Amino acid sequence: MQSMDNFSKLQFYIDDLKAQAARHGVTVEICDDFRELQETVDAIEDRAPLTPIFDWRYSDIGADNGFWIRGADDKGQVIHLQAARIDTLSEMPLSDYLREKAPLFLSPHIPADIAHSTFDSCGWARESRGTVCYHGEIWIAPKGGFRARGLVKVLPRIVPPIAYRKWQPDYFYGMISARLVQRGLGAQYGYSHFHPLGIRWKLRDQDGTFDEYIAWMTPDDMTALMEATTDSHQLM
């Protein structure tokens, strides 16, 4: 591995993660038809609706600026989903972009008053510019025992190296609930930076806010994770 170029290392890492998923009974497929993603999500019972940022009916999302991951069991049943998109902010801070695109980032199940929500409480979001990759829609089926197989440390880590190979973004980022951060899921997904006030959604018709953590990762963070993971498998 030491003599491989960066592209080959990324591909090796992606293939290794997919192989780990396969050993746990999950076949991973990279997809770019977002109409199919919307139809897939709509067909799954007890899953949160698709966030508009990844819904082709509301957002400019397609093969040129996005992809999604489908994981299926040995019967072809969808048991895992996640998605990514690339955006070029140029000199616009990420916090301003989040405010501008707030209706697309608001999950349909959150009863928020967008006009009175806050998007610039995190210093990193106020300072970040350039090309950013949004990583979201991470879901593993609650039934079938797949959440107890260690897949949370495998499947979500597939997206950043694929996205880096495609787009070379300056940052990867995502939103995650406080409950999941407190359970350590953000770190298991591979992210090493978190801020508790990524987006502060002002709740409609009641006091208080629903606060989403913002998680982020640099390409160097991803490379370090890749090297640590492959080292632990004694593959480098």
Side-chain angles (χ1 to χ4, degrees), residues 101-118:
K101 302 293 185 181
L104 299 179
F105 282 95
L106 178 61
S107 180
H109 72 280
I110 301 175
D113 175 358
I114 292 175
H116 295 92
S117 297
T118 304

Side-chain angles (χ1 to χ4, degrees), residues 192-236:
S192 50
H193 307 282
F194 305 92
H195 194 284
L197 306 178
I199 296 181
R200 309 199 74 184
W201 298 110
K202 176 66 177 70
L203 296 174
R204 291 196 305 267
D205 304 322
Q206 56 184 296
D207 293 333
T209 58
F210 177 83
D211 297 339
E212 290 192 278
Y213 274 68
I214 188 168
W216 69 92
M217 179 193 315
T218 68
D220 285 345
D221 293 331
M222 184 203 67
T223 299
L225 182 66
M226 177 178 71
E227 291 177 352
T229 302
T230 51
D231 278 345
S232 69
H233 286 213
Q234 299 181 345
L235 295 176
M236 292 187 69

Side-chain angles (χ1 to χ4, degrees), residues 87-96 123-132 169-171:
D87 291 287
T88 300
L89 308 183
S90 298
E91 292 305 309
M92 176 186 286
L94 178 59
S95 56
D96 286 0
W124 177 82
R126 295 194 302 270
E127 297 168 2
S128 296
R129 292 165 171 79
T131 304
V132 294
D170 295 309
Y171 304 101

Side-chain angles (χ1 to χ4, degrees), residues 164-182:
Y164 190 76
R165 188 183 61 184
K166 288 172 66 70
W167 300 315
Q168 294 82 53
D170 295 309
Y171 304 101
F172 309 91
Y173 75 104
M175 300 297 166
I176 184 168
S177 72
R179 177 177 57 86
L180 295 182
V181 171
Q182 290 160 8

